[in-house]
Amino acid sequence: MQQIVIANWKMNPPRLNEAVRLFKNTSQASKKLKHTSVVIATPVSYLYALSKTLKGKGPAFAAQDIFTEVLGAFTGEESATMLKEVGAEYAIVGHSERRAMGENNELISRKVLAAHKAKLIPILCIGESQRDSLGEYLKTIGEQLESGLQYVTGPQVAKTIIAYEPVWAIGAEAKKEATARDIVEVNLYIRRVLTDRIGPNKANSVSILYGGSVSAENISEYVKEAGVNGFLVGRASLLASFTKILEAVDNAK
Ligand code: PGA
């Protein structure tokens, strides 16, 4: 299976010329990859300009969020159709930073449906806030997954990307890094829930990614031992060393 690396720029960088520079560096590195697709989730304000400078084979674009509706009186929102119009092919949905702003499983599941309707590939982010010794966190993850996919059909489930992002491992304030073992367990669990929903063949075709403090330092261990189909990278996707992450993922194949 092709590996996928998603660069989530979040609300960065502050200027368009920096975004262009960052995009060019990532694009150049991505052209050398044989087994890895690169997707850049830019702020909406840069999406059109960057997708227009993209010629030939290079990274694809993702929106960092979408709204549930297609058109109408929804001040401040962006629809999946509009985002597709300006160059997005993917959409991150349910990122923990959006959940922290109040998004719940119901809203997120309608966004997953909206993405599919507009023919954007949703990247559904799920992950527990903390771990406990009784395995309650798996319940949280299962609920987020089942609920997030509740309105879409089996074939649409098979075309959804799942990103496991434990909240405790995300961002500069992360308490600690996830170990490859932490990821393996949840990866298997997600695959099992998907198998119950759409059967083993289709479930095996779903890309399951890991995200949370992925860096040039820990990527080799994750690539070797975590057993995922790719990564969602935040902070490290803004650094020159992001190319090292891309190479490590690609070389593992
Ligand atoms: P991080 O962010 O790599 O900076 O931890 C990952 C994410 O939030 O997707």
Side-chain angles (χ1 to χ4, degrees), residues 5-13 19 22-23 26 38-47 50 59-65 88-93 95 123 125 232-234 237-238 242:
V5 178
I6 297 168
N8 180 10
W9 288 1
K10 306 191 180 182
M11 204 169 69
N12 298 291
L22 190 58
F23 169 74
T26 304
V38 181
V39 179
I40 305 182
T42 71
V44 173
S45 21
Y46 301 144
L47 185 55
L50 294 181
F61 290 96
Q64 296 179 7
D65 186 28
E89 292 173 59
Y90 299 78
I92 296 176
V93 175
H95 190 280
I123 301 151
C125 297
L232 202 162
V233 185
S237 70
L238 301 165
F242 184 52

Side-chain angles (χ1 to χ4, degrees), residues 8 10 95-97 165 169-172 211-214 232-236:
N8 180 10
K10 306 191 180 182
H95 190 280
S96 63
E97 287 154 13
E165 299 215 303
I170 293 178
S213 298
V214 172
L232 202 162
V233 185
R235 281 160 296 154

Side-chain angles (χ1 to χ4, degrees), residues 1-2 14 16 38 43-44 72 82 84 139 146 158 166 196 203 216 229 234:
M1 199 193 283
Q2 183 85 352
L16 179 59
V38 181
V44 173
M82 291 168 181
K84 187 167 171 84
K139 231 189 251 172
E146 281 170 9
D196 288 345
N229 308 113

Side-chain angles (χ1 to χ4, degrees), residues 211-224:
S213 298
V214 172
S215 68
E217 287 73 45
N218 61 25
I219 189 68
S220 319
E221 184 200 337
Y222 286 160
V223 159
K224 269 191 240 130

